[in-house]
Amino acid sequence: MSQDSEYSEGDLRNTGMSLKHDREWDYELDRIVEAVEERDATKVGLQFPEGLKRRGPKVADDIRERVPDDVTVMLSGQPCYGACDLDTFLMKRTDVFVHFGHSPMKNTDKVIYVPLFSNVDVFPIMEESLAELDDPAENPDVGLVTTAQHMNRFEEMKAWLDERGYEVHTRKGDDRLTHEGQVLGCNYASADIDADQVLYVGGGKFHPLGLAMEHPDKNVVIADPVNNVVTVADTEKFLKQRYASVHKAMDAEKWGVIFCTKIGQGRWETAQEILEDNDDAYLITMDEVTPDRLRNFDMDAFVNTGCPRITTDDGPQFHKPMLTPGEYEIAVGNKPLDELSFDTFHGTW
Amino acid sequence: MSQDSEYSEGDLRNTGMSLKHDREWDYELDRIVEAVEERDATKVGLQFPEGLKRRGPKVADDIRERVPDDVTVMLSGQPCYGACDLDTFLMKRTDVFVHFGHSPMKNTDKVIYVPLFSNVDVFPIMEESLAELDDPAENPDVGLVTTAQHMNRFEEMKAWLDERGYEVHTRKGDDRLTHEGQVLGCNYASADIDADQVLYVGGGKFHPLGLAMEHPDKNVVIADPVNNVVTVADTEKFLKQRYASVHKAMDAEKWGVIFCTKIGQGRWETAQEILEDNDDAYLITMDEVTPDRLRNFDMDAFVNTGCPRITTDDGPQFHKPMLTPGEYEIAVGNKPLDELSFDTFHGTW
C-alpha cells in the first residue's frame, strides 16, 4: 500500500471489495439444488447475515429457476450475526435450510452452510503488515488467524509468511470453530499459540480487538484487505469502557440476568449459578438483546450470559450497565478488579 | 365527567387509572402456585405485555416466596402485543407458563392466562357517552363491546344500558375470542350485531378505530374510562393513509410477502396464494415485523400476512409501502379500489 499510504482507514477505493460484483460470489447453487432434488423438498429456507440480506431475492430467483414449481423458497427476515444465530423456525420448518456467510458451528444435515469466501487479494496488505511484525531474523514466531471469509486462502497465507522466514504458528481452537486459524467474535482459541505476535488477516476491527483483549500479552497486527489498511490492535478504549461499566454496576441491587435463546448463544449453567447466589437477580429470556427490550425492566444493572460482543460493543447503548458474567463477579465483589478479562464462548449449539 | 369537561383526551388526573397501585391488580398467585405444586414444576415462565413488563420482577418475587427453592422463575424479555404473541420458547421449556394481561385465544393446559382485569369504574364515562348515542325512545338498538381488561364488568354494563331503555345487542364473535362482547385489535366479529350504533367501553382509540374501519356503516361511540373521555370514532385519517399506501404500491415490481412466525399471527395459505400468482413476490419470514428488519430487503413494496395492525398503524414508519393482503389485491389490479376494507384475523393458534 506504499503508494496509497495517505488513504484513511475506511477508504474502499482501491480495495478488492470495491471491485466486487454480485456474480463473483459463489452461492453454491448446485449443492442447494442437489439437496432439493435428493430430499424431494417442497420448502427451502435461506438465511443471510445482515450485510448480505439484500442479495437474498436474487439467490432465491436463481434457485427457483432450477427447482420444480411447487418448491417454496423462503428468506429469513430475522437478524443474523453468526453461525451461532440460526433461524431455528426456518430450520425446523423447511426441507432444505441454507445458512450463508458463516462456516459450520456444528456438523449437521439440518443445515447447508455456504461460507461465501471473499475474492479479495490478501497479499498486498500482508506485504504492508510486515513493517509491524518483528524482523524474522530476530523473532520468527508469529501466529496467523483469519475469519471464515478468507479461510480459502489460509494455506497460501501460511506459505507466504513461511517463504519470508517466519515460523508460522496455527491451531484449530476448539469445537466452536470449523477451521485451523479461524477466529470468531467470541472465540480466539486459535490464537492460543506459542508466539508473542499474531497476524490477523481480515476486514474490520471487531475480531482483532477481541483477539487482543483475550490475549493481552500478544502484539496483534491487523492486515485488513477490505479497508486496505494495517494497524496494531489497541484495547485501551475498550478496556476503559469495561472498567467504567463495572464501576457503575457496583452499586446495583437489582440485577437482570439475560439468558439468550438463540441456538448458539445460550449459557444456561452460567445464568443458573448467578441466580442461585443472588436473591436480587431476575432471569430474563430473549433472543435479540436490545436496549429497547431491556428498558421495560426496572433493573439497576444487567449481566448478559449470551453473546459477549453485545455486552462489550453495544453496552454503552443500554440504559443501565451491562456486564459479562466475569465482570459481574467483580461488580458484586466475588473477584478482584484485576481479574477483569474478555468473555469468550465455547462449545457448539 | 360534567365537572371535568375541560380535560383533554389524554388527561389521567381524575381517572381510576391514576389511582391504581400495583397491589390492586390480581395476579392470581394462588392459581400459579397451585400449578407449580401439582406439576412438581422446576421452571416457571412469566410473560407480560409491554406496558406491564416492569411489574414482572415483583410478581416473580411473590412467586419465589411461595414455591420451593429449586424452582427457577423466568421472565420473558420478548416483545408481546397480544394473546396471539406467546413466547413459545418459554412455553415449551417451562413446566408452568403464565401469560398475563390477555384472555385465552385457545384453551390449552400449556398456558395459564391471567387476564389482569382493570379496576377502573366504567359507569361515569358510560353516563357521559349517552349524549353521543341515539335517544333510546327513538333508536333503542345499541351494540356493546369492550376489551379483555374490562370483561369482568360486561354483564353490569349490559344491565346498566338496559335500565336506561336500550336494547343491548351482543355476541361472541368467533373462536379467536374468549368472551361475548370482546374485541381484539384484529377481530371485531363481536360487533356483527343488528344495530347501527355500537358503544365501545375501553382505553385508547386502537380498538374502536379498527371497529369503525371493519363496520363503516355503524356509529362507534367510544367511552374511554382510562383517559376519561367520550369521542366518536373517525376513520378519515386512517382511510386516507391506507389509500395513499395502496396508490404508492401500484407501481411496485418486487414484492416482499411477509409471513409472521408468531404463534397466533401466521396466515400461510394467504402468503402461498400471493406467491403462486406473482413471480416477483418473495416470501420473507420473521417474528417482529419492524422497519429495521425490512430495510435489508431491496423490495418495492411489502404485503404483510401477519398482524394487520402493524401494517395499518405502523405502516408509515416503513421505508416502502406495506399493505394488507386485501390491499395488495387492489394494488396489483385484481380488485377495484372501492373494495378496500379492513384486514381482520380469525381462528386461533
Side-chain angles (χ1 to χ4, degrees):
Chain A
M1 198 175 68
S2 47
Q3 78 280 24
D4 298 327
S5 55
E6 76 279 16
Y7 281 171
S8 69
E9 213 174 299
D11 198 310
L12 293 168
R13 280 175 291 178
N14 280 15
T15 68
M17 202 64 168
S18 66
L19 299 170
K20 199 175 295 169
H21 302 295
D22 279 14
R23 68 178 66 88
E24 294 186 55
W25 292 89
D26 180 7
Y27 295 102
E28 303 189 32
L29 297 180
D30 288 345
R31 192 149 67 101
I32 299 166
V33 171
E34 252 169 53
V36 171
E37 285 166 2
E38 268 172 27
R39 301 180 199 179
D40 243 339
T42 59
K43 286 180 190 166
V44 176
L46 309 180
Q47 185 182 26
F48 291 85
E50 296 315 282
L52 295 167
K53 270 202 169 57
R54 65 189 177 81
R55 299 172 191 269
K58 280 185 189 165
V59 176
D61 278 343
D62 288 345
I63 294 171
R64 293 201 288 194
E65 266 177 29
R66 295 177 53 182
V67 298
D69 272 356
D70 66 337
V71 175
T72 302
V73 179
M74 300 154 85
L75 297 165
S76 170
Q78 296 296 102
C80 173
Y81 301 102
C84 54
D85 194 0
L86 299 177
D87 185 336
T88 49
F89 183 96
L90 260 197
M91 185 173 81
K92 288 176 188 161
R93 288 168 184 80
T94 47
D95 310 304
V96 171
F97 173 69
V98 190
H99 183 92
F100 292 91
H102 301 115
S103 62
M105 186 156 285
K106 183 174 173 174
N107 280 318
T108 167
D109 289 344
K110 291 198 164 198
V111 188
I112 295 178
Y113 294 91
V114 174
L116 297 181
F117 294 122
S118 171
N119 62 351
V120 65
D121 182 0
V122 296
F123 298 106
I125 202 73
M126 281 178 75
E127 183 75 46
E128 294 294 318
S129 74
L130 297 181
E132 297 292 347
L133 293 174
D134 290 343
D135 185 330
E138 286 163 25
N139 176 19
D141 297 304
V142 63
L144 176 66
V145 296
T146 184
T147 59
Q149 249 66 64
H150 304 285
M151 227 54 244
N152 54 333
R153 313 294 292 273
F154 192 68
E155 287 306 317
E156 288 174 66
M157 294 181 207
K158 264 174 82 170
W160 190 94
L161 286 168
D162 186 66
E163 284 162 20
R164 277 149 191 83
Y166 287 97
E167 178 82 30
V168 188
H169 297 256
T170 62
R171 69 187 289 258
K172 186 189 162 214
D174 65 19
D175 283 353
R176 197 167 175 84
L177 306 157
T178 316
H179 304 286
E180 188 179 312
Q182 184 187 5
V183 291
L184 300 175
C186 60
N187 187 310
Y188 300 94
S190 294
D192 263 336
I193 40 83
D194 194 21
D196 54 15
Q197 56 183 347
V198 179
L199 179 64
Y200 163 85
V201 180
K205 291 195 169 175
F206 177 78
H207 292 94
L209 248 183
L211 171 52
M213 285 291 296
E214 173 69 355
H215 298 285
D217 49 320
K218 296 189 199 299
N219 188 41
V220 177
V221 177
I222 307 169
D224 180 342
V226 179
N227 297 300
N228 206 22
V229 69
V230 172
T231 48
V232 173
D234 177 5
T235 61
E236 195 191 338
K237 193 179 153 199
F238 197 104
L239 262 174
K240 272 189 183 163
Q241 277 180 351
R242 298 322 306 151
Y243 279 115
S245 290
V246 172
H247 275 290
K248 270 188 226 159
M250 281 176 172
D251 299 325
E253 287 181 15
K254 284 169 70 178
W255 285 87
V257 182
I258 298 162
F259 173 74
C260 178
T261 61
K262 290 190 176 191
I263 193 168
Q265 297 186 15
R267 285 184 287 190
W268 179 251
E269 287 75 21
T270 308
Q272 277 298 111
E273 282 164 21
I274 295 170
L275 288 171
E276 276 163 23
D277 268 12
N278 188 339
D279 284 344
D280 295 316
Y282 299 87
L283 188 62
I284 301 170
T285 63
M286 58 213 311
D287 53 7
E288 299 296 319
V289 180
T290 65
D292 269 2
R293 292 186 179 186
L294 290 187
R295 204 168 282 119
N296 290 320
F297 292 97
D298 178 30
M299 297 285 152
D300 302 318
F302 295 93
V303 48
N304 182 14
T305 66
C307 173
R309 300 309 291 266
I310 288 173
T311 312
T312 55
D313 298 47
D314 297 349
Q317 297 171 30
F318 289 83
H319 73 302
K320 290 291 167 64
M322 182 184 290
L323 306 188
T324 66
E327 292 167 348
Y328 163 84
E329 295 297 333
I330 296 171
V332 297
N334 292 348
K335 282 186 185 172
L337 193 59
D338 62 13
E339 285 195 23
L340 190 136
S341 66
F342 192 66
D343 186 25
T344 56
F345 218 109
H346 303 275
T348 66
W349 49 269
Chain B
M1 200 176 65
S2 46
Q3 78 280 23
D4 298 327
S5 54
E6 76 280 16
Y7 282 170
S8 70
E9 213 173 298
D11 198 310
L12 293 168
R13 281 174 291 179
N14 280 13
T15 68
M17 201 66 166
S18 66
L19 298 169
K20 199 176 296 170
H21 301 295
D22 279 14
R23 68 178 64 89
E24 293 187 53
W25 292 89
D26 180 6
Y27 294 102
E28 303 190 33
L29 296 180
D30 288 344
R31 191 148 66 100
I32 299 166
V33 171
E34 251 169 55
V36 172
E37 286 166 2
E38 268 172 27
R39 301 180 199 180
D40 243 340
T42 59
K43 287 181 190 166
V44 176
L46 309 180
Q47 185 180 27
F48 291 85
E50 296 314 285
L52 295 166
K53 272 204 168 56
R54 66 188 178 82
R55 299 173 191 269
K58 280 186 188 165
V59 176
D61 278 343
D62 289 344
I63 293 171
R64 292 200 289 193
E65 268 177 29
R66 296 176 54 181
V67 297
D69 272 356
D70 66 337
V71 175
T72 303
V73 179
M74 302 154 85
L75 297 165
S76 170
Q78 296 294 103
C80 174
Y81 302 102
C84 54
D85 193 1
L86 300 176
D87 185 336
T88 50
F89 183 96
L90 262 196
M91 184 173 82
K92 288 176 189 165
R93 287 167 184 80
T94 47
D95 310 305
V96 171
F97 174 70
V98 191
H99 182 93
F100 293 90
H102 300 115
S103 62
M105 187 157 283
K106 184 174 174 175
N107 280 319
T108 167
D109 289 343
K110 292 199 164 198
V111 189
I112 294 178
Y113 293 92
V114 174
L116 296 181
F117 293 123
S118 170
N119 62 353
V120 64
D121 183 1
V122 297
F123 299 105
I125 202 70
M126 282 179 73
E127 183 76 46
E128 293 295 317
S129 74
L130 297 181
E132 296 292 346
L133 292 174
D134 290 343
D135 184 331
E138 286 163 25
N139 176 20
D141 298 302
V142 64
L144 175 66
V145 295
T146 185
T147 60
Q149 248 66 63
H150 304 285
M151 228 54 243
N152 54 333
R153 313 295 292 272
F154 193 68
E155 287 306 316
E156 288 174 67
M157 294 181 206
K158 264 173 83 171
W160 190 95
L161 285 168
D162 186 66
E163 283 162 21
R164 278 150 190 83
Y166 287 97
E167 178 82 30
V168 187
H169 298 255
T170 63
R171 69 187 289 260
K172 184 187 164 218
D174 64 22
D175 283 353
R176 198 167 175 83
L177 305 157
T178 318
H179 304 286
E180 187 178 313
Q182 184 187 4
V183 290
L184 301 175
C186 59
N187 187 310
Y188 300 94
S190 294
D192 262 336
I193 39 82
D194 195 22
D196 54 16
Q197 55 183 347
V198 179
L199 179 64
Y200 164 85
V201 180
K205 291 194 169 176
F206 177 79
H207 292 95
L209 248 183
L211 171 52
M213 285 292 295
E214 172 70 357
H215 298 285
D217 50 319
K218 296 191 199 300
N219 188 43
V220 177
V221 177
I222 307 169
D224 180 342
V226 179
N227 298 300
N228 206 21
V229 67
V230 172
T231 47
V232 173
D234 178 3
T235 60
E236 194 190 338
K237 193 180 153 200
F238 197 105
L239 264 175
K240 271 188 185 166
Q241 277 180 349
R242 299 322 305 152
Y243 280 115
S245 291
V246 172
H247 275 288
K248 270 188 226 156
M250 282 177 171
D251 297 325
E253 287 182 17
K254 283 169 71 179
W255 285 87
V257 182
I258 298 162
F259 173 74
C260 178
T261 61
K262 291 192 176 189
I263 194 167
Q265 297 185 16
R267 285 184 287 190
W268 179 251
E269 287 75 21
T270 307
Q272 277 298 111
E273 282 165 20
I274 294 169
L275 289 171
E276 276 164 24
D277 268 11
N278 187 341
D279 284 344
D280 296 316
Y282 299 86
L283 189 63
I284 301 170
T285 63
M286 58 213 310
D287 53 7
E288 299 296 319
V289 180
T290 66
D292 269 2
R293 292 187 179 187
L294 290 187
R295 205 168 283 120
N296 290 320
F297 293 97
D298 177 31
M299 297 285 153
D300 302 318
F302 295 94
V303 48
N304 182 14
T305 65
C307 173
R309 299 309 290 266
I310 288 174
T311 313
T312 55
D313 298 48
D314 298 348
Q317 297 172 29
F318 289 83
H319 73 302
K320 290 292 166 66
M322 181 183 291
L323 306 187
T324 65
E327 291 167 347
Y328 164 83
E329 295 297 332
I330 296 171
V332 297
N334 292 348
K335 282 185 183 173
L337 193 60
D338 62 11
E339 285 196 21
L340 190 136
S341 66
F342 192 67
D343 186 25
T344 56
F345 218 109
H346 303 273
T348 65
W349 49 270

